[in-house]
Amino acid sequence: MELVAHWRLSKQALIDLVFFCGVPIVLAVLSAVLGPYAAIMGNTGAIVYVLSLAIVPWCLTGLVTQLASRRAGRSLPLWLMAASGAIASCPLVSLYVYVVNSIAGDIWPALGALLPATFSAGHLKSAALSEGRAIVLWIAFVVIFHETLGWTRFAPRNKEASREDRFQLSGAEWTAEDDVLLRSLIGSGKPPRAIALEMKRTVGGIRARTAKLGLRNNRLGDTSAD
């Protein structure tokens, strides 16, 4: 069991690495190769520029999405959780992109020809389109990684899995130690549901064993109706 748990943890960590590093790096390389930046900044400058505009915003969005998923208790559908995190991160990402472009514009003045004037109509339209594409891309990758690789970083809790974990001993044979623990819990006055949760068995199993041991209504010697 420990080996399986370790493997699952290692797998999720590997998927985290691929998602938060591999994906933005691939997107940045494509942008550097296909975009006009290499002609202005040179190959090295273009790679550094697009990497800075890919990795940091991607990870910022991941951080905000993680905080949002914890805040919501992972009760929302995955696509909606991803969308909420992406939208909530927009102010941070926009501020970061503005700072990077300002610095890059000072280093490579020719870059200004590719970027519309700040806060102009063209700039707002370009920013809205860019943010919209980024949000759609983020949602798509989150869902794809979850569906194809079993990535659970932002996924809602699996109710069926939780039920299996809760009642993992359902149907297992009762040992003398189990009976001693059951009598002790019954004697303490705990209700069947609390006992079932502690012993990781079903309520029906607890009631059946209680009856077999001659106990009633979860108390020693109590034969009144439940």
Side-chain angles (χ1 to χ4, degrees), residues 141-159:
F141 271 103
V142 169
V143 173
I144 289 172
F145 268 60
H146 173 68
E147 295 294 334
T148 60
L149 301 176
W151 193 42
T152 60
R153 169 62 59 185
F154 311 120
R157 290 189 179 90
N158 189 325
K159 293 182 179 179

Side-chain angles (χ1 to χ4, degrees), residues 116 119-133:
F119 301 125
S120 66
H123 174 260
L124 295 177
K125 181 179 179 180
S126 175
L129 290 174
S130 178
E131 291 290 352
R133 287 193 297 267

Side-chain angles (χ1 to χ4, degrees), residues 79-104:
W79 70 269
L80 184 56
M81 181 60 65
S84 300
I87 293 172
S89 68
C90 281
L92 290 174
V93 172
S94 297
L95 178 61
Y96 173 79
V97 171
Y98 171 76
V99 171
V100 170
N101 282 332
S102 298
I103 296 174

Side-chain angles (χ1 to χ4, degrees), residues 55-80:
I55 294 179
V56 175
W58 194 262
C59 292
L60 276 176
T61 305
L63 176 61
V64 174
T65 304
Q66 181 72 16
L67 294 175
S69 67
R70 290 183 178 180
R71 182 81 174 178
R74 294 193 175 185
S75 58
L76 299 177
L78 181 59
W79 70 269
L80 184 56

